[in-house]
């Protein structure tokens, strides 16, 4: 009798356990060390170096005033909403010029000499941001900053010369504004010495064997209780890309790149040899384009630029090279920057065709109308060393343009020359290449189209556009700013100042036991590892 | 002998001066510059100018050269890396033992393989073992070491889920663990360098074996082993030793690729990273130090001839 009565209870218990199984399995576990294979960072000082490797390395150890969401907090890899980090809350004055940050109380630096775990204060924030403004290669992003004041022990006030909408995004970008302790600089001169790497972040730099490995340990007094899950992380210095993939295959590293990235081709090869691997495609903030001297003939004629735009068979490129997984509608705002992107489908089709269309007959007609019925020769300067599929892109562009009568002379350049001349707009004719993966839409608009900037590679000088570019920067209401950004995208669609090429996804690869490691665009790694755990 | 050494050392000074000028000029006249590389796509004019000023790149080129060479000649100061701000000499000295060990093991592998196969080929001329030896030498000569290195890293990882040991351990910390790490790169590099040694060894030994004194040794009824190893080998080694001397820069040059593939924290990797970053002072200084070492090594090799062949006098 008792047995009979117990049976339904047992079934209920079983059902509950079965239902709860997956949930229990996904409960993060504490412990384990994550091994990452990556090249060596050129330095460790986040304000002096502009290398993404430096910023990714030390993002494990430092905190910022504010940050982007990561792991379970993020809605998408390009979720750039602003989260509290060292600042618990902040207020922006009505005129958009004064930012007041209230710091968390009781945040302690890592327990390493000469700082020895003392509490972080507003003076540290002031010192760090002023140092950033004095030394960083990114300091132009803080150009509108007029003053930084430590109002009291836990309050920092930043005064701007004018309203500047991208400001909080720049402040949250892990490339820029790590908060550092002054004593370490006084003792070590800068923050390049491994002993000087003292922050308030989730991991403590334990040891650095140059050229061999960098060892990080969990910060036991990190201010986000219970985090990080990992006991530590090790960056094993592996300069060669083939070797990085080999260590992933052989189970000697969990990430074959500091962000786990591999190319579409590598992802397919890896899936064949290691079907158990977790390989996830992400549309990342990348962008490639043809840029032209729009201040000189023949590209000062919009018909010629439109002909170039219509000559490219972007869909064909995407199918042939990117397994159909790329994004054809790649500019002027990158596909992955979803909060700001105005899809071509929402633009007048007559204009949108210059962004995504392919019409060789119309291209020929436009050239004839521009007095170039017999075609012309167009040099395309480029660096052949960019990752796959760039080399194919150059050839495809030459082939597509050849079909409408534009003879392309491909002009390969040495990387140093390409970066110091062509990529900064010093070239004749046209050039082709990728853009830096910025996290603020302003960089893709103001940076790309404002007259005289070195990143205005097409030498655009368009008075009407310039007004809109300044307006979006100064508009503090995100909705109103988005409207201006949309207007800019509508305005730019048929101007063809830049001709965009399809953007490919990036694959994040790791063994299946690595959980909670989500891709987030931007150069930070520390926050991604905050929620990462090992299921083994 | 003393006068010979002094003369060679004196000759080294203009050689090294020329090397310093050429390396300096090559770096400065290469397209692009380090400041731009440091700022890359984020360059805004004031930042770039400020950085150039901080690095001293806005001064005339000859002033920059004089400053650099003066530091070395008067104070032994090779400067600091632009990127890491670390003293170059300190970094070089710290990393050099790794490269030296790799070079020594590579020479050991290549000499053991090259000399052994060369001897067998010469002694068994025109037999199956000679043909096999010669084919092996041609293979070793034709396969680029960097290609072989990548294959050794990649293929076993695909088919056997195995890769060479990666995490470098210093010899002083754990000799056995260190040798485990160095074994695969030294074998890869050594095998490809054994080809020329084998060919030189074979032809030199064939020449010596046809000499009258060898015939005399045969006629005296000495055994083959004694004739080849005791009488012929020492004389046949002179061109082999010269070849090793000539290959010395290759061992250092090759270490640039081998160290980056096998993750060995030596001078080669230091140089490779500096070159990709256009870190002028590092590339210049490492080149100059290596040039000085090659000059010194060649002197040592020249002096070793006297030991191998007592007829040679200085």
């Amino acid at each position: 009798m008792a047995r009979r009565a117990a049976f339904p209870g047992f079934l209920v218990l079983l059902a509950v356990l079965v239902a709860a199984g997956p949930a229990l399995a996904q409960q993060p576990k504490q412990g384990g060390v994550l091994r990452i294979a990556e090249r060596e960072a050129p330095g460790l000082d986040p304000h002096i170096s502009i290398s993404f490797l430096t910023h990714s390395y030390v993002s494990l150890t430092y905190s910022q005033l504010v940050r982007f969401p990561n792991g379970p907090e993020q809605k998408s890899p390009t979720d750039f909403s602003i989260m509290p980090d060292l600042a618990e809350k902040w207020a922006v004055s009505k005129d958009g010029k004064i930012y007041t940050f209230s710091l968390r109380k009781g945040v302690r630096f890592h327990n390493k000499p000469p700082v020895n775990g003392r509490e972080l204060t507003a003076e540290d924030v002031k010192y760090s941001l002023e140092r950033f403004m004095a030394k960083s290669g990114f300091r132009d992003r803080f150009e509108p900053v007029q003053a930084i004041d430590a109002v009291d022990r836990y309050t920092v006030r930043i005064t701007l010369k004018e309203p500047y909408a991208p400001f909080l995004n720049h402040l949250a970008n892990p490339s820029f504004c790590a908060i550092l302790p002054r004593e370490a600089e006084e003792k070590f001169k800068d923050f390049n010495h491994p002993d000087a790497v003292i922050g308030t972040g989730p991991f403590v730099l334990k040891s650095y064997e140059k050229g061999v490995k960098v060892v990080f340990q969990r910060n036991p007094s990190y201010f986000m209780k219970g985090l990080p899950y990992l006991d530590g992380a090790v960056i094993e210095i592996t300069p060669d890309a083939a070797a990085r993939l080999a260590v992933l295959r052989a189970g000697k590293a969990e990430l074959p790149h500091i962000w786990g990235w591999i190319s579409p081709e590598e992802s397919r090869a890896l899936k064949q040899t290691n079907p158990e691997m977790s390989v996830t495609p992400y549309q990342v903030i990348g962008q490639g384009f043809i840029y032209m001297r729009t201040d000189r003939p023949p590209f000062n004629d919009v018909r010629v630029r439109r002909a170039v735009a219509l000559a490219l068979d972007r869909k064909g490129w995407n199918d042939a090279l990117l397994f159909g997984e790329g994004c054809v509608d790649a500019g002027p705002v990158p596909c992955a920057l979803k909060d700001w992107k105005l899809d071509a489908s929402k633009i007048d089709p007559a204009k949108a065709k210059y962004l995504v269309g392919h019409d060789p007959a119309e291209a020929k007609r436009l050239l004839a109308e521009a007095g170039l019925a017999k075609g012309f020769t167009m040099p395309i300067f480029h660096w052949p060393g960019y990752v796959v599929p760039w080399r194919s892109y150059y050839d495809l562009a030459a082939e597509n343009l050849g079909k409408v009568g534009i003879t392309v002379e491909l002009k390969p350049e040495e990387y140093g020359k390409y970066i110091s001349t062509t990529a900064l707009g010093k070239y004749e004719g046209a050039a082709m290449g990728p853009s830096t993966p910025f996290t603020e839409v302003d960089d893709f608009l103001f940076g790309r189209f404002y007259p005289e900037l070195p990143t205005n590679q097409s030498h655009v000088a368009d008075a009407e556009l310039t007004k809109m570019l300044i307006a979006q920067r100064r508009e503090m209401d995100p909705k109103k700013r988005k409207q201006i950004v949309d207007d800019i995208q509508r305005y730019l669609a048929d101007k063809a100042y830049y001709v965009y090429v399809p953007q490919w996804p990036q694959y994040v690869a790791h063994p299946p036991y690595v959980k909670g490691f989500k891709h987030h665009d931007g150069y930070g790694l520390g926050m991604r590892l905050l929620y990462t755990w090992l299921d083994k | 002998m003393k006068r010979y050494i002094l003369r060679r050392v004196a000759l080294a000074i203009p050689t090294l001066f020329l090397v310093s000028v050429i390396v300096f000029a090559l770096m400065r006249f290469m397209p692009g510059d380090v400041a731009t590389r440091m700022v890359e796509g984020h360059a805004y004019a004031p930042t770039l100018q400020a950085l150039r000023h901080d690095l001293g790149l806005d001064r005339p080129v000859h002033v920059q050269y004089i400053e650099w060479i003066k530091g070395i000649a008067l104070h032994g100061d090779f400067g600091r890396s632009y990127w890491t701000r670390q003293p170059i000499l300190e970094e070089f000295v710290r990393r050099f033992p790794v490269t030296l060990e790799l070079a020594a093991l590579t020479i050991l592998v290549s000499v053991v393989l090259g000399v052994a196969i060369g001897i067998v080929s010469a002694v068994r001329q025109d037999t199956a073992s000679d043909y096999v030896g010669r084919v092996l030498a041609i293979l070793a000569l034709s396969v680029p070491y960097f290609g072989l290195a990548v294959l050794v890293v990649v293929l076993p990882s695909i088919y056997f889920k195995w890769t060479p040991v990666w995490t470098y351990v210093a010899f002083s910390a754990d000799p056995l663990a260190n040798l485990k790490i160095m074994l695969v790169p030294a074998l890869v590099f050594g095998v490809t360098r054994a080809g020329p040694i084998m060919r030189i060894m074979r032809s030199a030994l064939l020449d010596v074996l046809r000499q009258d004194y060898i015939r005399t040794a045969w006629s005296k009824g000495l055994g083959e082993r004694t004739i080849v190893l005791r009488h012929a080998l020492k004389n046949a080694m002179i061109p082999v030793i010269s070849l090793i001397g000539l290959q010395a820069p290759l061992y250092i040059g090759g270490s640039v690729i081998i160290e980056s593939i096998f993750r060995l924290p030596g001078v080669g990797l230091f140089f490779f990273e500096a070159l990709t970053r256009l870190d002028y002072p590092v590339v210049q200084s490492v080149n100059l130090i290596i040039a000085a070492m090659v000059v010194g090594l060649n002197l040592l090799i020249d002096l070793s001839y006297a030991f191998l062949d007592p007829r040679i006098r200085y």
Side-chain angles (χ1 to χ4, degrees):
Chain A
M1 184 72 192
R3 214 183 246 182
R4 225 179 264 171
F7 187 68
F10 169 74
L11 279 182
V12 170
L13 182 68
L14 191 69
V16 168
L17 280 175
V18 167
L24 287 174
Q26 290 306 309
Q27 196 63 35
K29 286 182 196 163
Q30 194 87 43
V33 173
L34 188 86
R35 297 163 301 171
I36 304 162
E38 187 49 279
R39 289 156 288 175
E40 187 149 39
L44 296 173
D45 191 322
H47 292 170
I48 291 178
S49 173
I50 62 145
S51 161
F52 79 92
L53 287 169
T54 297
H55 296 132
S56 281
Y57 269 42
V58 297
S59 67
L60 275 80
T61 61
Y62 294 121
S63 307
Q64 296 164 251
L65 216 43
V66 288
R67 66 177 175 87
F68 298 135
N70 270 276
E73 305 158 349
Q74 72 185 49
K75 290 188 212 94
S76 75
T78 51
D79 183 353
F80 296 125
S81 47
I82 307 296
M83 304 270 300
D85 199 11
L86 290 173
E88 204 165 33
K89 55 185 180 178
W90 56 94
V92 187
S93 65
K94 273 190 181 169
D95 63 1
K97 289 188 189 171
I98 298 172
Y99 289 71
T100 309
F101 296 91
S102 307
L103 301 184
R104 290 175 200 262
K105 290 175 184 152
V107 174
R108 298 199 166 272
F109 280 107
H110 299 156
N111 193 8
K112 286 164 82 174
V115 185
N116 298 320
R118 74 160 170 80
E119 192 188 17
L120 174 132
T121 68
E123 282 297 337
D124 293 305
V125 177
K126 176 179 160 63
Y127 153 76
S128 300
L129 297 185
E130 283 178 350
R131 183 177 187 270
F132 169 84
M133 286 173 69
K135 300 196 168 173
S136 173
F138 294 110
R139 60 188 169 218
D140 57 277
R141 303 296 200 286
F142 267 33
E143 202 273 324
V145 173
Q146 193 170 49
I148 300 168
D149 300 299
V151 179
D152 61 37
R153 193 173 168 80
Y154 300 110
T155 311
V156 179
R157 186 175 57 219
I158 302 178
T159 312
L160 307 183
K161 291 174 218 159
E162 59 194 25
Y164 182 47
F167 184 59
L168 278 175
N169 183 292
H170 291 333
L171 209 52
N173 193 316
S175 310
F176 297 162
C177 303
I179 305 300
L180 320 164
R182 182 193 295 269
E183 302 95 301
E185 186 175 37
E186 281 162 3
K187 182 172 176 187
F188 298 102
K189 289 185 184 157
D190 56 34
F191 291 88
N192 273 320
H193 194 286
D195 291 342
V197 179
I198 304 168
T200 52
F203 295 92
V204 180
L205 195 151
K206 189 189 165 209
S207 65
Y208 185 178
E209 231 178 299
K210 280 245 165 137
V212 182
K213 62 180 172 182
V214 195
V215 180
F216 298 91
Q217 249 178 0
R218 183 175 192 273
N219 175 7
S221 24
Y222 185 52
F223 56 81
M224 289 174 77
K225 295 294 166 220
L227 293 171
Y229 298 125
L230 293 167
D231 281 344
V234 178
I235 301 174
E236 311 251 14
I237 292 160
T238 317
D240 184 70
R244 289 199 293 272
L245 199 56
V247 293
L248 176 74
R249 282 189 166 120
K252 289 185 179 173
E254 277 79 33
L255 296 180
H257 174 276
I258 202 141
W259 308 325
W261 280 11
I262 56 174
S263 69
E265 276 85 345
E266 286 172 334
S267 78
R268 269 155 181 78
L270 183 67
K271 269 293 185 193
Q272 275 179 355
T273 59
N274 298 61
E276 80 286 0
M277 283 286 171
S278 160
V279 182
T280 318
Y282 288 98
Q283 193 59 254
V284 298
I285 298 182
Q287 201 177 40
F289 41 66
I290 296 175
Y291 41 112
M292 299 154 274
R293 291 297 305 244
T294 65
D295 54 340
R296 292 180 195 170
F299 300 112
N300 57 352
D301 187 331
V302 69
R303 292 168 297 189
V304 177
R305 301 198 301 268
R306 285 173 178 167
V308 171
L310 290 175
L312 299 191
D313 179 10
R314 297 173 189 77
K315 190 178 173 304
W317 295 24
N318 184 30
D319 292 343
L321 291 174
L322 310 179
F323 312 103
E325 293 170 1
C327 172
V328 171
D329 177 16
V333 173
C335 320
L337 210 54
K338 290 193 170 62
D339 289 346
W340 297 103
K341 176 80 182 163
L342 183 68
D343 286 339
S345 59
K346 291 177 187 159
I347 297 173
D348 175 4
K351 293 174 90 183
K353 67 180 179 185
Y354 300 110
L355 287 172
V356 293
H358 174 51
D359 190 344
E362 172 69 1
K364 279 184 192 167
R365 196 192 64 75
L366 283 167
L367 284 179
E369 205 179 293
L372 294 166
K374 288 183 183 167
F376 68 101
T377 301
M378 167 180 176
I380 293 190
F381 294 90
H382 64 282
W383 181 52
Y386 281 120
V387 291
V388 179
W390 271 106
R391 256 167 291 176
S392 310
Y393 270 17
Y394 304 133
D395 293 333
L396 283 174
E399 196 257 349
N400 285 183
L401 289 165
K403 283 186 179 165
V404 302
I406 302 173
T407 309
V408 169
E409 276 179 1
L410 287 176
K411 303 252 188 192
E413 291 185 311
E414 186 277 329
Y415 182 68
K417 182 165 188 302
Y418 173 79
I419 286 294
S420 60
T421 57
T422 306
L424 295 177
K426 297 174 203 158
Y427 62 92
E428 286 301 320
M432 195 169 171
S435 156
T436 304
F438 302 107
T439 58
E440 230 299 320
V441 71
D442 184 62
D443 289 305
F444 292 98
L445 298 177
F446 192 89
R448 201 62 76 199
F449 296 96
Y450 190 77
E452 304 299 326
L453 287 184
T455 45
N456 179 350
Q457 292 154 307
S458 277
H459 298 260
V460 180
D462 180 328
E464 198 178 337
L465 176 62
T466 302
K467 272 187 224 157
M468 288 194 276
L469 293 173
I470 295 172
Q472 65 80 26
R473 263 191 158 192
R474 292 194 176 158
E475 180 53 67
M476 299 302 290
D477 180 339
K479 278 187 187 160
K480 286 184 186 163
R481 188 178 176 216
K482 167 79 170 112
Q483 278 171 8
I484 305 173
V485 170
D486 284 354
D487 288 345
I488 293 174
Q489 291 178 81
R490 280 190 204 97
Y491 179 82
L492 282 172
D494 66 348
K495 296 281 184 266
Y497 289 126
Y498 296 83
V499 172
Y500 301 92
V501 295
Q503 177 58 34
W504 56 93
Q506 200 63 258
Y507 287 76
V508 173
H510 55 68
Y513 59 80
V514 175
K515 305 282 187 192
F517 182 80
K518 281 194 176 180
H519 173 70
H520 190 271
D521 268 291
Y523 290 171
L525 176 68
M527 288 297 130
R528 283 179 231 186
L529 295 192
L530 197 61
Y531 297 103
T532 301
W533 55 283
L534 303 179
D535 189 14
K536 63 172 189 178
Chain B
M1 177 93 118
K2 241 184 210 169
R3 271 188 64 186
Y4 175 77
I5 296 175
L6 279 175
R7 206 170 62 229
R8 287 287 297 263
V9 171
L11 268 173
I13 293 168
T15 310
L16 292 177
F17 170 71
L18 269 178
V19 168
S20 75
V21 172
I22 291 169
V23 172
F24 188 90
L26 277 177
M27 286 310 290
R28 300 305 156 127
F29 294 119
M30 256 171 85
D33 73 12
V34 62
T36 324
R37 190 68 64 94
M38 288 168 89
V39 178
E40 288 209 352
H42 308 283
Y44 282 68
T47 311
L48 193 60
Q49 276 161 16
L51 186 61
R52 281 219 175 88
H53 180 74
D54 291 350
L55 298 176
L57 291 168
D58 51 355
R59 295 172 304 166
V61 175
H62 68 276
V63 174
Q64 293 178 43
Y65 174 78
I66 291 168
E67 283 280 300
W68 173 61
I69 209 73
K70 215 165 76 181
I72 297 171
L74 299 182
H75 312 291
D77 178 11
F78 285 83
R80 284 170 183 265
S81 154
Y82 282 163
W83 285 77
T84 65
R85 310 306 303 155
Q86 299 301 309
I88 294 165
L89 190 61
E90 218 172 82
E91 194 67 19
F92 186 94
V93 169
R94 201 178 57 73
R95 287 168 175 257
F96 187 63
V98 180
T99 304
L100 191 65
E101 188 189 350
L102 178 65
L105 287 173
T106 304
I107 291 171
L108 186 72
V109 170
S110 58
V111 168
V112 167
L113 284 177
V115 168
I117 299 174
I119 291 173
V120 172
S121 266
V123 174
R124 306 266 176 271
Q125 194 188 359
D126 295 333
T127 64
S129 29
D130 181 24
Y131 293 133
V132 170
R134 281 155 72 181
V135 167
L136 286 177
I138 295 289
L139 266 178
L141 273 169
S142 337
V143 177
Y145 64 88
F146 48 87
L148 189 62
V150 171
L151 288 182
V152 165
V153 168
V154 171
L155 291 184
S157 80
I158 292 175
Y159 297 110
F160 311 114
K161 309 274 180 275
W162 179 91
T163 55
V165 185
W166 287 108
T167 308
Y168 181 78
V169 180
F171 188 81
S172 53
D174 185 345
L176 204 65
N178 171 273
L179 285 175
K180 260 189 187 171
I181 294 156
M182 300 301 265
L183 186 71
V184 180
L187 271 174
V188 167
F189 203 11
V191 161
T192 57
R193 298 263 58 87
I197 292 181
M198 180 265 152
R199 289 177 67 85
I200 292 278
M201 184 73 240
R202 179 179 178 276
S203 60
L205 193 58
L206 279 175
D207 276 353
V208 174
L209 288 175
R210 287 177 192 133
Q211 300 288 319
D212 290 344
Y213 70 93
I214 298 291
R215 207 168 294 135
T216 310
W218 282 114
S219 59
K220 274 168 43 184
L222 287 177
E224 188 183 38
R225 181 179 297 224
T226 315
I227 290 168
V228 173
L229 296 183
R230 199 177 290 173
H231 292 258
L233 188 62
K234 206 170 156 188
N235 287 336
M237 279 303 279
I238 288 181
V240 176
I241 300 283
S242 304
L243 182 70
I244 294 170
L246 284 173
Q247 286 194 348
L250 287 179
Y251 291 116
I252 304 288
S255 73
V256 172
I257 305 291
I258 291 286
E259 285 177 8
S260 70
I261 293 175
F262 287 98
R263 208 160 82 182
L264 302 174
V267 172
L269 187 54
F270 184 40
F271 183 81
F272 174 76
E273 282 172 353
L275 198 60
T276 55
R277 291 170 185 155
L278 284 184
D279 200 339
Y280 300 156
V282 176
V283 177
Q284 290 159 200
S285 300
V286 171
N287 257 310
L288 194 60
I289 297 171
I290 289 171
M293 284 163 48
V294 170
V295 167
L297 193 67
N298 275 313
L299 175 63
L300 279 180
I301 284 167
D302 285 353
L303 293 176
S304 74
Y305 295 158
F307 164 75
L308 288 169
D309 186 347
R311 288 171 301 180
I312 298 174
R313 288 277 175 273
Y314 296 101

